[in-house]
Amino acid sequence: MVNMNWKKNIILFLVSQNVSLFGSSLVQYAIMWYITLETQSGVMMTIAIVCGFLPTFFLSPFAGVWADRYNRKALIILSDSFIAIATLVLAILFLMGYQMLWLLFVMSALRALGTAIQMPAIGAFLPQLVPEDKLTKVNATNSSIQSLVMLVSPMLSGALLTLSTIETIFFIDVITAILAVLTLLLFLHVPAHAKALEKQTTSYFADMSKGFAYIKNHAYVKSFFFFCAIFMVLVAPAAFLTPLQVTRSFGNDVWRLTAIEITFSVGMMVGGILMASWGGFINKVHTMTLSCLAIGACTFALGVIPNFGIYLAIMVLVGISMPIFNVPSTVLLQEKVEGDYLGRVFGVLGMISSVMMPMGMLVFGPLADIIKIEWLLMGTGLLLFIQGFFLLGNKVLLEAGKPILKPEQ
């Protein structure tokens, strides 16, 4: 049941999460650039990415069950606190002179554990805060706010890496996490969902099995997850190898790495604003298809553009395309999946996200040390473009994408 003060609650929630995201983004960019600039190695980048995703794969199914069984706000607070403590320990170790590369890999893995708990909890928590007819606008607005954070954080992260040390960035992340946790604890008062208030009579594994059975028996969710799995493998080079490509092809300046993140974030912000105001096509799957075709074409273009200025312009277009896919696909799950199963469904989505991209990087990362990254981008871009037509031809997804008719009261 959505609280009458939902606007106040959603503002508090989005502020807390984006304050936390700001600190996390600083650390994420700092680690990525530190490894890129220190090693210029596709293998090292792949190890970092696998460490950052694999723990999420193993924990997500359990985290999805927790998000359905327990208070979702409490889970978000616990995961933020865990990440803050892990970051604080790393900062102290670095200050003591233990600046080994493997510590950054361990840190990426620990942060991934916190993310695994957060993702299904946040995805399932939003429909508790927001009326169903406002989900698209709220998800799109959140996407724009996140993009604004991602616009500022690479600039600040680059500046801090140049002027200060990586430890400074770690401490900023700890402070932002504390602020986020205090905001949720002190100001956001939302009752737990119905299942969390009940006495749990089934085991974790029984609940997990019910979640997998729910996905198996709902053709839309099953088809969507299969599509996402392939999409995430193909998008891995564009997501992770572009900083390495820029370092090799255009120059290893920090400002160039900052520039591609800024332009991508500007595009994401514009895409979020576009979705908040437009809302997409009547059928959400048509909107997702448009995004897929655009991402495929832009990924191909990143492999052929010889000019860095035009490269950045293409990055803006990639950024615009992302919310046009993410917003309607998230809202579809939030609308179609029963509330008691939302955590488990988002948990499985987190599991797919966490394993498919690293699987892609296990192939594309080592390949990036053998053949030019441009060829990888051209090949995956072409396949992503073709995949968009498969989405358009899926009758189950097209049916699911139609607007929901209000049930009779």
Side-chain angles (χ1 to χ4, degrees):
M1 185 70 183
V2 174
N3 194 298
M4 292 297 289
N5 297 321
W6 73 269
K7 288 185 180 178
K8 174 191 166 189
N9 286 340
I10 195 62
I11 288 169
L12 283 169
F13 182 69
L14 294 186
V15 166
S16 73
Q17 289 310 291
N18 283 290
V19 164
S20 177
L21 175 67
F22 176 67
S24 294
S25 298
L26 290 179
V27 171
Q28 177 188 328
Y29 288 120
I31 289 175
M32 180 176 69
W33 293 344
Y34 187 92
I35 292 169
T36 302
L37 295 172
E38 288 291 315
T39 69
Q40 292 196 28
S41 164
V43 172
M44 288 295 114
M45 288 287 290
T46 302
I47 293 170
I49 290 160
V50 169
C51 288
F53 279 91
L54 208 55
T56 306
F57 169 73
F58 288 114
L59 192 59
S60 282
F62 296 95
V65 174
W66 297 337
D68 285 335
R69 289 170 73 111
Y70 304 121
N71 188 314
R72 289 159 181 166
K73 187 183 90 167
L75 286 172
I76 295 165
I77 289 171
L78 285 171
S79 59
D80 259 341
S81 303
F82 172 77
I83 292 171
I85 292 166
T87 308
L88 180 62
V89 171
L90 181 68
I92 292 168
L93 286 172
F94 260 60
L95 279 175
M96 291 170 66
Y98 298 101
Q99 299 187 353
M100 286 84 79
L101 205 59
W102 67 265
L103 278 175
L104 295 179
F105 297 153
V106 171
M107 181 61 194
S108 294
L110 291 174
R111 294 176 71 84
L113 290 174
T115 302
I117 298 170
Q118 268 191 335
M119 279 177 58
I122 290 173
F125 190 49
L126 271 177
Q128 285 178 238
L129 299 176
V130 183
E132 191 176 274
D133 62 338
K134 298 292 191 294
L135 278 171
T136 296
K137 189 175 285 291
V138 168
N139 276 290
T141 302
N142 188 35
S143 175
S144 286
I145 298 169
Q146 287 179 348
S147 302
L148 180 60
V149 170
M150 302 295 269
L151 173 65
V152 175
S153 53
M155 288 189 285
L156 185 56
S157 186
L160 288 170
L161 269 182
T162 305
L163 302 173
S164 184
T165 61
I166 197 169
E167 295 92 333
T168 306
I169 299 173
F170 294 155
F171 281 115
I172 292 172
D173 184 36
V174 173
I175 293 166
T176 55
I178 291 169
L179 289 172
V181 166
L182 289 176
T183 302
L184 289 182
L185 271 176
L186 301 177
F187 303 110
L188 184 65
H189 306 294
V190 179
H193 59 290
K195 185 174 171 63
L197 297 172
E198 298 169 2
K199 185 178 180 182
Q200 305 300 326
T201 56
T202 55
S203 69
Y204 284 110
F205 288 100
D207 263 358
M208 194 187 299
S209 295
K210 285 183 182 178
F212 284 120
Y214 183 93
I215 292 165
K216 183 181 176 183
N217 295 327
H218 288 71
Y220 150 66
V221 183
K222 191 163 60 174
S223 296
F224 175 65
F225 282 0
F226 180 71
F227 176 88
C228 283
I230 297 171
F231 179 85
M232 286 167 184
V233 170
L234 295 177
V235 86
F240 296 121
L241 290 177
T242 43
L244 198 56
Q245 178 200 10
V246 166
T247 303
R248 290 177 180 177
S249 301
F250 297 108
N252 63 349
D253 312 288
V254 171
W255 75 264
R256 291 187 191 275
L257 298 179
T258 308
I260 61 171
E261 299 298 339
I262 290 171
T263 49
F264 179 76
S265 298
V266 167
M268 286 274 286
M269 192 162 53
V270 171
I273 294 168
L274 176 65
M275 286 304 298
S277 55
W278 169 42
F281 295 120
I282 292 173
N283 190 314
K284 292 182 177 67
V285 173
H286 290 163
T287 314
M288 291 155 63
T289 302
L290 172 65
S291 169
C292 246
L293 296 174
I295 290 170
C298 289
T299 301
F300 185 89
L302 289 174
V304 296
I305 298 298
N307 179 278
F308 190 60
I310 301 173
Y311 187 95
L312 294 179
I314 298 296
M315 269 294 177
V316 174
L317 295 177
V318 176
I320 291 172
S321 303
M322 293 306 291
I324 296 174
F325 182 87
N326 291 338
V327 170
S329 62
T330 301
V331 173
L332 265 180
L333 289 179
Q334 291 170 338
E335 285 180 349
K336 295 282 181 180
V337 177
E338 294 166 38
D340 285 349
Y341 285 91
L342 261 178
R344 278 164 285 183
V345 168
F346 274 106
V348 173
L349 180 60
M351 186 172 70
I352 293 168
S353 304
S354 62
V355 75
M356 298 316 290
M357 277 189 161
M359 275 180 65
M361 281 303 291
L362 284 173
V363 176
F364 296 123
L367 272 178
D369 289 339
I370 301 168
I371 62 174
K372 291 181 72 174
I373 294 172
E374 283 79 359
W375 285 105
L376 298 178
L377 291 169
M378 289 164 64
T380 52
L382 188 61
L383 291 172
L384 282 166
F385 190 83
I386 293 168
Q387 193 191 10
F389 290 103
F390 282 98
L391 183 63
L392 196 60
N394 189 306
K395 291 179 181 177
V396 173
L397 284 174
L398 285 171
E399 184 62 33
K402 291 178 181 176
I404 285 187
L405 298 174
K406 293 291 179 186
E408 293 181 15
Q409 299 297 321

